[in-house]
Amino acid sequence: MFGQNVGANTVNSAYLYVKVTESGEDIPVQMASVYIVPTGDTAATAFTFTNAKGIASLSDIAAGNYVLNVQMLGFVPYREEIQLKSRTALSISVILKEHFKELEGVTITANGDLVTTRGDTLIYNATSFRTASNANLGDLLKKMPGIEVGRGQVKINGEPVTKITVEGKTFFLGDMSKALENLPAYIVNKINIIDEENRDKFGLGSKRKKMDIRLKDEYRNGWFGQVSAEGGSSINDDSSNPIDDSAHALFNAKLYSSLYGENDQLTFLGGGNNVNANQLSHNASGLSKIASFGVNYNTSRITDMETDGSASYDFKDNDDCAESQRTSFQTSGNEIITDRLKSNNAISHSTKAHFGMGKPLEKPGSEGFQIGVDISQNWRKISGESISSTRNSIEELNGSVSRISGVSDDFGIDLGVRAQYFLDKRSVHQLSFRGTIGYADIRGNSEEYLITRFKESAETRSLLYDDKNNELRFDGTLSYSAQCSRHWEILTTASVEYSSFKDMRDAENAEDNNRNEYYSKYAKDRNIELTESIVTKYRNNFAGSKIFSTSFGLCVYEDKISHFSIQSAKENRNALWIINVGPVASVTFNDFKNSYTISTRGKSNGPSNSTYTSPVLDVSDPVNISTGNIYLKSSYHQDLVLQLRIRPAMLKSAVLSMRLNGSVDINKITSASWYDSLAVRYSIPVNSVHPCYNAGLDVTYVQPLNKKKSLNLTVSPKVSLGNVTNYVSNGPLRSLDRDSFEYAEMMRWFYGDSKGSEFYSGRSGFIETGILRVNWSLKTDLKYEIRSSSLRFGGFVDNTRNNYSASPSARVNNWRFNAFAEWLWQNGTGWEFETRFDYYGYQGFSDNYNRPEYLLNVSLSKVIKSFTLRLSAYDVLGSAKSFYHVSYAEYEEDVYHNNIGRCILVGLSYNFGKWDRSAKIKVQQKSKDKNL
C-alpha cells in the first residue's frame, strides 16, 4: 500500500498494476521505482516500488493519459504512454534491460559472479559452481559461500532459512529435506536469498530468510527426470571396535521426475537406500535404511488463485552405536568421569499431506483469503541398551545397565486461514487476520529394564508404561493498518495463542503387573498468551534507486500458565500470570549495491509442557535422573540484529555480507543439578535470576582474484560470546527415593514455595554458576575454474573456550582444524572424475577423543547416450565414525557415533526428457554462449 494519490476523485478513479522482470531471466526486479506523470506535465502524480515478486500497484488515480516510468539502478529506464480509464484496472508487464555502462562502475554482470546483491535479495549464481552430474541441491549449496547445510536445514551467515520455494512455488511445504536431497543441482540457474518481511504477529520489519530456487530457462517448460540404482559393499578391517561399521551390502535407488508448464508444476520422487549422504560424509548419528515417496503439485490455472498440494511417505530404520566420555566439573575442583557405550534402534513410518489454496496476498493492494490444511501420522518403534560407568580419580562410584523398548503412534492435523480486505474504496484502511487450529494425539507403550550398581550394592527395576497424550492449539492474529499518507503507515495487532496439553501415563511393575503409583501420572497444562502491538512505519525512495524505511513500536506480552497433575495420589497445581513489555523497531536502507538493516524484536516463551513440567522421575538412565518444575515462569527474549551487504567501491566484484546479532534473555529456563554421595546425577529445570546475554558476528567475504573470475577467494570469520547461568550444588546432596518418590515433598526441600524461597536463597544447597562461552572460527575457500576442471582448496580453524565461575579450576579449550582439497574434472565427452580429501584435527577434548581423521572419496563416471555408469569409493582411508562434542551446564561430553566406513559402489542412471544427454549438451552450449 504505497503511493496513494490522496485526494483523488474516487468516483473517477483508476488502478494500475505493473509487473517488472529482468530481460532474459524472468526474474522479478525488486525495489524498482514505478511512477506516472500526466501527459504534457513534469510532476509525478503517483509513485511506488516493486515488491519481492516484482509487482507494483497504484490505486485511486484520476482517469486520463499518463507516461509510465520504471527505473532501477543498473537497468535502462523504461517509458510508456498509457491511458487509464475510470473504474478499471490496467495491468502491464515491463521487461528491464541491463545498462552495461552503468553496471561497469558498480558490478560486473551476474554471469560469472559467485554472488551479487539486489536490494533485500542475495543472489547466488549456481552456474558458477560446477557440480558432479548426480549432485543435488544440498551438494550445490555446500559449495556456496556463507551457506551451511546439515540435517535437513540451511543457514545463511548463521541465520536459518525458514522456507524453500522453486520458481516462487511451494515445494513439499514444511519439509526442506525433500528439496535438498532430491532437486537436481544441474537444473538450477540462480538461488535467491530473500529477506521476506514477516507481519504475522508483530507487524513490522522482522525478516525471515526465504530461499527461492530459479531454474534454467530450458527447464521451466517441459518434463525431465532421472532414475538410478547403485549397489556395493562396505569394507571393514577392524570388527573389534564396537562402533565400527561391520561389512554389509549397500544399495541406493532413486527416481526424480518433474513437469513444468506456464501454470503448473508437478514433481514425483521416490527411492530407498542405506548410504545416505550424511553417512558418507560422516555427519550422521548411526547407520540408516531409508525410503521416501512423494508428489508435489502447484497450479495457477484459476485466475488470481494459487493452489498447491503435496503428499509423502518416509521410512527410516536407524541403528546408532556410540561411545562417549562425560567430564563433570565439581565446585570442589574434582572431576567425575562417566564412560558410556550405547546402541539404539529406531524404526519410523511417517506420512504427510498438505493442501493450500488462495489468492497471492503479498502484492500491495491485494484482497482475498488463503486456506491450508496439514495432516501427519507417524508410527515409531524404538529399542536400545546403554552401559555406563562413573568414576572419580580414585575409584568407580557406580555403574548401570538400562534397556528400553516401545512403540508409539502420533497423529496431527492443522488448519490455517489468512485473509485481508480493505475497508474503503481508497484502499487506505486494511483489516487482516491469520489463524491456525491444530490437534495432536500420541499413543504408545514401552518397557524399561534398569540395573544400577553401586560400590557394594545393586538394585533392579523393570517397568511397563502405557502413555496417552493429546494437545489442542489455537492462535489468531487480527491486524488493522491505515495508510496515513504516501510514506506513513500505522499498524496495530492483537493476537492470542492457546494450548491445552494432557499427559497420561499408567505404570506397572513388570514382574507382577501391579500398578506403580510413583511412576504413573496425570498432568494437564494450559497456556494462554496474549500479545498487543502498535507500530508506525515510514518508507521513502530517493533518486529512484535508494530506499529508506523504518518501523518502531511497542509489544505487550501476557502469559497465563496453569499446571495440574496427580502423582502418587496427590495433587500438584500452580498458576502464573506473567507480563512482559518490549520494543519493536527496524531501520532499512538499500540501493542496487548495498543493503543495511538494523532491527530489534522480542518474544515471550512459555515452558514446554512435556519437557519442563512433568512431576514424574525420568529414570530411563538410572544414574542420570530428571524431573520437571511446575513453578516455571515464561522467559522473555529480546534480540538486536544488524545486517549489512556491501559491494566495496574499490573492489568492483567483491561482496561483503555481515550479520551482527545480540540478545538478552530474562527468566531464561536453565537447569539445576546435583550429585548424591553415590555419584547419581539429578537435574530439574529452573528460571535464571540474572539476565543472560549473547552476541555473535558472522562475515562472508567473496573476492574474484582475476578478470575472468575463474579464481575466487571466500573468507568467512565468525565469533560469538555469551554467558549462561546454571545452578549446581555446593557438594553432594540428598538422593531421591525412587521407590516412594513424592513430587510435592521433593519440591518443598528443593524449591520451597512457588517463588523458589529455598532454592534461590541457597538454603537447599545450590549456588549459581556462570558459564562464559567464547567461540571463534575462520574458514577459507579458494575456487579455481580451468578448462575442464574445477579445483577447491581450503579449511577452517575453530576454537571454543568455557569458563565456569563456580569451578575456577575448570577450563574448556577445544580446537578443531580442517584442511580439504577437491577436484572435479569433466571433459565434455561424457567422462567425469571427482575426488575430495579432508583432514580433521582435534585438540583439548577428552582422552582418546583427540584422534585425527582422514576422509578420502573418489568417483569416476561415463555418460553413454542417456545412461551414466558410475564407480565410487568412499572413506578410502577408513575413518568409519563421526565425532560430536557437547558442552552443557556443568559438564562437557565427547561422543563417537558409528558411520559407514570404507565402501565401494557401482551404479547406473538413466536420464529422460530434457535431462537426457542431447538436451544437456544444448543447455551447456547455451550456458557457454551466455557467459561469453
Side-chain angles (χ1 to χ4, degrees):
M1 293 182 298
F2 305 112
Q4 304 295 328
N5 184 16
V6 180
N9 184 348
T10 57
V11 177
N12 194 33
S13 61
Y15 299 86
L16 174 64
Y17 296 95
V18 182
K19 182 177 181 180
V20 184
T21 57
E22 179 180 346
S23 175
E25 300 289 345
D26 193 30
I27 295 178
V29 178
Q30 186 182 6
M31 300 300 179
S33 305
V34 178
Y35 62 95
I36 57 175
V37 179
T39 303
D41 201 348
T42 57
T45 300
F47 169 83
T48 188
F49 326 97
T50 54
N51 63 7
K53 292 190 174 183
I55 297 174
S57 64
L58 298 170
S59 57
D60 287 346
I61 307 169
N65 296 322
Y66 294 89
V67 177
L68 170 64
N69 294 265
V70 181
Q71 295 181 359
M72 181 70 185
L73 184 64
F75 293 89
V76 178
Y78 179 90
R79 290 170 54 87
E80 179 185 354
E81 293 187 2
I82 60 174
Q83 183 181 26
L84 299 179
K85 299 179 181 180
S86 61
R87 299 184 181 181
T88 61
L90 177 63
S91 297
I92 295 177
S93 295
V94 174
I95 300 176
L96 294 183
K97 298 180 179 179
E98 288 183 313
H99 197 310
F100 292 100
K101 289 185 177 180
E102 185 175 337
L103 285 171
E104 186 177 356
V106 179
T107 181
I108 303 175
T109 59
N111 298 320
D113 281 336
L114 301 186
V115 189
T116 56
T117 61
R118 183 169 299 153
D120 282 342
T121 303
L122 189 66
I123 303 172
Y124 288 87
N125 185 14
T127 58
S128 295
F129 298 88
R130 190 177 301 187
T131 58
S133 57
N134 65 335
N136 55 35
L137 175 63
D139 299 324
L140 174 63
L141 293 176
K142 290 175 183 178
K143 296 177 179 290
M144 294 182 168
I147 298 183
E148 302 173 57
V149 181
R151 303 193 177 189
Q153 301 295 321
V154 182
K155 290 184 177 180
I156 310 295
N157 278 353
E159 186 178 5
V161 171
T162 60
K163 181 168 59 175
I164 294 180
T165 59
V166 179
E167 293 288 326
K169 307 290 187 180
T170 60
F171 191 87
F172 290 95
L173 184 67
D175 189 355
M176 291 192 292
S177 62
K178 290 288 190 295
L180 295 173
E181 297 172 7
N182 293 280
L183 196 68
Y186 187 81
I187 68 174
V188 179
N189 181 31
K190 293 183 180 178
I191 295 176
N192 294 342
I193 309 299
I194 303 168
D195 286 331
E196 189 176 49
E197 185 172 358
N198 174 24
R199 294 177 62 165
D200 286 359
K201 187 173 180 179
F202 301 97
L204 81 153
S206 62
K207 301 288 187 179
R208 297 182 301 186
K209 283 283 187 291
K210 169 186 169 182
M211 176 179 288
D212 186 37
I213 311 302
R214 311 300 299 187
L215 304 182
K216 294 175 182 176
D217 294 340
E218 292 76 11
Y219 296 105
R220 291 181 178 178
N221 218 317
W223 74 292
F224 57 91
Q226 182 187 79
V227 58
S228 63
E230 59 182 341
S233 175
S234 62
I235 305 171
N236 181 33
D237 55 5
D238 188 13
S239 58
S240 61
N241 191 329
I243 71 163
D244 271 357
D245 167 41
S246 58
H248 65 289
L250 302 175
F251 67 93
N252 185 10
K254 192 173 183 180
L255 165 68
Y256 180 91
S257 178
S258 284
L259 173 64
Y260 284 84
E262 184 178 352
N263 297 311
D264 303 280
Q265 294 180 359
L266 178 63
T267 298
F268 293 96
L269 57 87
N273 68 76
N274 60 355
V275 289
N276 66 71
N278 285 331
Q279 290 171 179
L280 293 174
S281 60
H282 291 185
N283 289 323
S285 299
L287 302 175
S288 296
K289 301 180 184 72
I290 60 176
S292 180
F293 302 92
V295 58
N296 185 85
Y297 178 64
N298 298 282
T299 182
S300 55
R301 287 182 176 272
I302 304 175
T303 305
D304 293 330
M305 188 75 68
E306 292 184 351
T307 305
D308 64 275
S310 63
S312 63
Y313 164 78
D314 293 279
F315 164 80
K316 186 174 184 179
D317 183 352
N318 184 70
D319 286 307
D320 181 15
C321 297
E323 60 178 356
S324 64
Q325 184 173 106
R326 175 183 293 185
T327 302
S328 301
F329 306 112
Q330 305 294 294
T331 55
S332 62
N334 297 323
E335 294 181 349
I336 294 178
I337 307 297
T338 301
D339 296 302
R340 187 181 307 276
L341 184 65
K342 66 177 183 179
S343 61
N344 295 304
N345 175 259
I347 300 174
S348 64
H349 300 266
S350 177
T351 57
K352 297 179 182 179
H354 164 78
F355 175 78
M357 174 180 284
K359 290 192 174 183
L361 299 180
E362 293 78 11
K363 180 172 66 175
S366 59
E367 293 182 296
F369 74 94
Q370 296 175 344
I371 186 170
V373 181
D374 293 273
I375 302 175
S376 65
Q377 185 160 10
N378 182 53
W379 181 88
R380 193 165 185 258
K381 180 180 180 180
I382 61 171
S383 62
E385 181 174 357
S386 175
I387 303 173
S388 70
S389 174
T390 301
R391 55 187 167 84
N392 57 22
S393 58
I394 301 175
E395 59 182 341
E396 183 186 56
L397 302 175
N398 66 54
S400 72
V401 175
S402 65
R403 291 195 293 269
I404 185 171
S405 62
V407 296
S408 64
D409 194 1
D410 311 345
F411 171 78
I413 182 169
D414 291 271
L415 173 65
V417 177
R418 179 186 175 190
Q420 63 184 38
Y421 293 94
F422 290 101
L423 303 179
D424 61 331
K425 295 182 179 180
R426 293 165 51 83
S427 301
V428 173
H429 303 278
Q430 185 185 60
L431 196 65
S432 60
F433 171 78
R434 290 176 182 261
T436 305
I437 185 170
Y439 175 77
D441 184 81
I442 304 173
R443 305 294 174 96
N445 56 76
S446 60
E447 179 179 356
E448 288 180 348
Y449 176 77
L450 316 169
I451 299 177
T452 310
R453 183 184 70 255
F454 303 108
K455 292 181 180 179
E456 299 178 354
S457 63
E459 62 180 45
T460 303
R461 181 177 292 103
S462 185
L463 297 169
L464 303 175
Y465 297 112
D466 186 15
D467 292 290
K468 298 178 181 179
N469 304 313
N470 58 67
E471 182 180 15
L472 178 65
R473 306 178 304 276
F474 167 79
D475 67 84
T477 301
L478 185 66
S479 302
Y480 164 76
S481 63
Q483 191 76 37
C484 303
S485 66
R486 177 181 297 181
H487 304 298
W488 286 95
E489 178 187 8
I490 189 168
L491 176 67
T492 61
T493 64
S495 68
V496 58
E497 292 185 13
Y498 169 81
S499 65
S500 176
F501 181 82
K502 291 182 180 179
D503 185 4
M504 295 161 280
R505 164 172 283 189
D506 292 322
E508 296 179 351
N509 298 316
E511 62 272 12
D512 55 16
N513 292 111
N514 290 329
R515 180 180 173 84
N516 188 313
E517 294 292 344
Y518 297 105
Y519 294 102
S520 299
K521 66 176 176 179
Y522 173 84
K524 182 169 61 176
D525 296 273
R526 287 196 180 99
N527 186 9
I528 300 175
E529 180 180 317
L530 305 176
T531 305
E532 302 86 27
S533 68
I534 182 168
V535 176
T536 301
K537 305 184 71 173
Y538 172 83
R539 186 181 180 95
N540 200 0
N541 173 278
F542 303 93
S545 60
K546 299 179 180 179
I547 297 96
F548 173 82
S549 64
T550 182
S551 307
F552 52 89
L554 191 70
C555 277
V556 180
Y557 311 87
E558 302 156 283
D559 286 337
K560 183 180 181 181
I561 308 167
S562 62
H563 307 291
F564 170 79
S565 63
I566 298 177
Q567 187 263 342
S568 301
K570 294 185 179 181
E571 293 187 1
N572 304 281
R573 58 175 75 229
N574 186 51
L576 294 171
W577 182 266
I578 308 295
I579 299 178
N580 292 301
V581 180
V584 288
S586 175
V587 178
T588 299
F589 174 80
N590 63 67
D591 55 22
F592 189 79
K593 296 187 299 180
N594 308 312
S595 174
Y596 309 87
T597 299
I598 183 170
S599 63
T600 182
R601 57 174 288 190
K603 182 168 178 57
S604 181
N605 298 301
S608 168
N609 298 314
S610 59
T611 304
Y612 294 121
T613 60
S614 172
V616 175
L617 289 181
D618 180 356
V619 293
S620 56
D621 182 351
V623 295
N624 193 5
I625 299 171
S626 62
T627 187
N629 183 352
I630 65 172
Y631 300 123
L632 280 180
K633 302 176 183 178
S634 292
S635 62
Y636 179 74
H637 175 87
Q638 185 80 34
D639 63 24
L640 177 66
V641 177
L642 171 63
Q643 183 169 283
L644 308 177
R645 294 197 192 103
I646 305 172
R647 280 187 280 186
M650 296 180 61
L651 303 171
K652 295 181 181 180
S653 299
V655 173
L656 175 65
S657 181
M658 182 175 71
R659 184 174 186 268
L660 176 64
N661 65 88
S663 66
V664 57
D665 290 271
I666 300 173
N667 285 330
K668 183 178 178 65
I669 297 177
T670 181
S671 69
S673 60
W674 76 95
Y675 286 85
D676 63 16
S677 58
L678 299 175
V680 176
R681 183 181 184 270
Y682 303 89
S683 63
I684 301 177
V686 296
N687 292 105
S688 173
V689 171
H690 296 103
C692 298
Y693 304 93
N694 286 278
L697 175 65
D698 290 80
V699 178
T700 300
Y701 179 74
V702 183
Q703 174 66 64
L705 299 179
N706 61 357
K707 292 183 179 180
K708 294 182 179 180
K709 301 178 186 176
S710 59
L711 183 62
N712 291 270
L713 174 67
T714 300
V715 181
S716 302
K718 181 187 299 186
V719 63
S720 64
L721 172 68
N723 77 306
V724 178
T725 299
N726 289 287
Y727 296 87
V728 296
S729 62
N730 193 11
L733 295 179
R734 61 184 285 185
S735 304
L736 298 182
D737 191 336
R738 285 168 280 179
D739 294 318
S740 58
F741 172 69
E742 291 189 6
Y743 182 78
E745 189 278 331
M746 184 274 298
M747 289 299 286
R748 281 193 295 270
W749 158 73
F750 166 76
Y751 210 64
D753 57 19
S754 62
K755 297 181 180 180
S757 57
E758 294 296 309
F759 175 76
Y760 291 110
S761 66
R763 289 193 292 268
S764 58
F766 290 85
I767 61 175
E768 185 179 86
T769 177
I771 303 175
L772 178 63
R773 181 183 179 90
V774 180
N775 172 259
W776 67 270
S777 65
L778 178 63
K779 182 179 180 180
T780 60
D781 187 317
L782 184 65
K783 185 172 80 75
Y784 184 44
E785 304 284 340
I786 177 172
R787 295 189 179 91
S788 300
S789 294
S790 176
L791 300 170
R792 292 180 63 220
F793 306 92
F796 68 78
V797 57
D798 182 282
N799 177 236
T800 300
R801 298 170 183 259
N802 290 348
N803 291 329
Y804 301 83
S805 63
S807 306
S809 61
R811 293 282 191 274
V812 173
N813 186 13
N814 298 326
W815 291 85
R816 299 171 188 254
F817 310 94
N818 168 260
F820 76 87
E822 181 180 282
W823 177 31
L824 174 62
W825 174 73
Q826 298 167 316
N827 73 342
T829 63
W831 284 101
E832 179 178 281
F833 177 78
E834 183 180 28
T835 183
R836 178 177 171 117
F837 171 78
D838 278 275
Y839 160 77
Y840 295 95
Y842 304 95
Q843 182 178 320
F845 297 93
S846 303
D847 295 339
N848 299 320
Y849 289 83
N850 291 302
R851 289 173 283 177
E853 298 175 15
Y854 305 91
L855 190 62
L856 175 63
N857 299 330
V858 180
S859 177
L860 177 66
S861 66
K862 169 63 176 175
V863 177
I864 304 174
K865 294 185 177 180
S866 295
F867 293 89
T868 302
L869 293 170
R870 184 176 300 275
L871 174 65
S872 303
Y874 296 94
D875 193 18
V876 176
L877 303 178
S879 290
K881 62 183 182 298
S882 59
F883 174 71
Y884 291 88
H885 177 77
V886 179
S887 179
Y888 177 76
E890 82 293 351
Y891 69 82
E892 63 169 345
E893 186 170 20
D894 299 314
V895 187
Y896 279 140
H897 290 275
N898 61 324
N899 265 179
I900 292 179
R902 186 184 295 114
C903 64
I904 297 177
L905 296 171
V906 178
L908 174 67
S909 63
Y910 171 69
N911 301 328
F912 53 87
K914 286 193 172 184
W915 206 9
D916 64 19
R917 174 159 172 75
S918 60
K920 289 173 72 173
I921 291 174
K922 293 178 182 179
V923 171
Q924 290 173 342
Q925 187 59 48
K926 286 188 177 183
S927 179
K928 288 181 179 179
D929 293 342
K930 183 182 291 187
N931 286 323
L932 289 176

